[in-house]
Amino acid sequence: MPIITTNDGSHSIYSEQYGVTYHSKFGAITESAHVFIAAGLRYKAVVQQEIAILETGFGTGLNAFMTWLEAEKRNLKVAYLGLETFPVTEAEAAALNYPAGLGCPGREDDFRELHRADWNVRHALSEQFSFEKRRTPIEKFSEREAFDLIYFDAFAPQSQPELWTEEVFLHMYESLKPEGVLVTYCAQGHFKRTLKKVGFTVERLQGPPGKREMTRAQK
């Protein structure tokens, strides 16, 4: 798939299947840092040091890699599960400039390991970060009170409407532990009403560059 350079210099991938990029054109690293790390991981790290994370849309691995780095920086213990049904190739992943863009070019092999790692196996990648990825469709995923934090990073509702349904977010709600949090770049009114309908308390936050708002929802 074509690799593009976003406004902050970091790469993203253009999905020809869905006609959209994997990240904001205003900055892939900037968006992930704002939506998932700052509003999600750091928010939970204030109250707990061990955090189980579900990512819906593993994609390029950027969110997982940034979470790994943040876990080591803050001495957190993170257990990470990423869902992805259309994985990027190892060659595509190797072309992405995230380690350099994050100021850690010596971690390129660690970033690539996220893509080389076997599926459906839990990997202890460091003392702070364990990682698993599954080829499970988001709409078919359901667990009970297994996660503290969900990175909901599917393509936008207009591209994948089947992933933004009441049934999917009921499963997300059920998958969270009490006081668990879901964060996403999306702030559409219908989406937020759906979150409230299944039981979430919804908080509107300032969005990353290029977006006025984002959403954080709590169980």
Side-chain angles (χ1 to χ4, degrees), residues 165-213:
T165 65
E166 181 179 332
E167 181 180 12
V168 166
F169 288 105
L170 178 59
H171 288 165
M172 295 296 102
Y173 184 87
E174 292 172 342
S175 295
L176 283 170
K177 301 173 186 177
E179 309 301 324
V181 167
L182 179 149
V183 286
T184 183
Y185 62 87
C186 184
Q188 292 184 8
H190 177 73
F191 161 62
K192 290 185 287 188
R193 289 190 292 274
T194 299
L195 290 177
K196 292 176 182 177
K197 188 174 181 180
V198 301
F200 281 105
T201 298
V202 177
E203 184 178 3
R204 181 176 61 190
L205 303 176
Q206 180 180 343
K211 286 189 70 68
R212 188 163 58 103
E213 298 174 357

Side-chain angles (χ1 to χ4, degrees), residues 17-218:
Q17 179 180 0
Y18 292 102
V20 293
T21 56
Y22 277 60
H23 311 90
S24 168
K25 294 180 181 180
F26 290 90
I29 287 176
T30 299
E31 178 187 44
S32 290
H34 183 100
V35 175
F36 301 107
I37 303 302
L41 183 59
R42 291 176 186 167
Y43 179 78
K44 290 299 292 182
V46 171
V47 294
Q48 61 190 93
Q49 289 293 106
E50 296 188 11
I51 303 172
I53 298 176
L54 170 68
E55 180 182 17
T56 60
F58 172 70
T60 64
L62 176 59
N63 293 334
F65 186 56
M66 291 181 70
T67 299
W68 185 357
L69 298 177
E70 189 75 11
E72 293 180 346
K73 177 182 176 181
R74 294 178 176 268
N75 196 31
L76 305 173
K77 287 195 176 295
V78 172
Y80 200 98
L81 173 60
L83 306 181
E84 182 58 64
T85 51
F86 300 103
V88 303
T89 67
E90 290 185 27
E92 289 165 339
L96 297 170
N97 66 354
Y98 299 143
L102 290 163
C104 54
R107 303 290 296 268
E108 288 184 1
D109 194 60
D110 286 339
F111 173 68
R112 294 176 187 178
E113 181 60 26
L114 296 172
H115 294 273
R116 290 194 298 255
D118 291 335
W119 294 81
N120 304 314
V121 177
R122 174 65 54 176
H123 303 270
L125 299 181
S126 75
E127 290 186 7
Q128 289 78 29
F129 188 76
S130 68
F131 171 75
E132 180 183 352
K133 56 186 178 180
R134 298 181 195 170
R135 281 186 171 176
T136 302
I138 296 170
E139 61 269 36
K140 295 184 178 180
F141 181 84
S142 180
E143 292 194 8
R144 298 287 298 185
E145 297 190 358
F147 303 98
D148 302 291
L149 176 60
I150 294 175
Y151 295 165
F152 201 85
D153 200 19
F155 288 140
Q158 58 267 33
S159 299
Q160 286 187 297
E162 70 276 11
L163 304 185
W164 298 82
T165 65
E166 181 179 332
E167 181 180 12
V168 166
F169 288 105
L170 178 59
H171 288 165
M172 295 296 102
Y173 184 87
E174 292 172 342
S175 295
L176 283 170
K177 301 173 186 177
E179 309 301 324
V181 167
L182 179 149
V183 286
T184 183
Y185 62 87
C186 184
Q188 292 184 8
H190 177 73
F191 161 62
K192 290 185 287 188
R193 289 190 292 274
T194 299
L195 290 177
K196 292 176 182 177
K197 188 174 181 180
V198 301
F200 281 105
T201 298
V202 177
E203 184 178 3
R204 181 176 61 190
L205 303 176
Q206 180 180 343
K211 286 189 70 68
R212 188 163 58 103
E213 298 174 357
M214 60 161 286
T215 302
R216 182 165 62 207
Q218 189 162 15

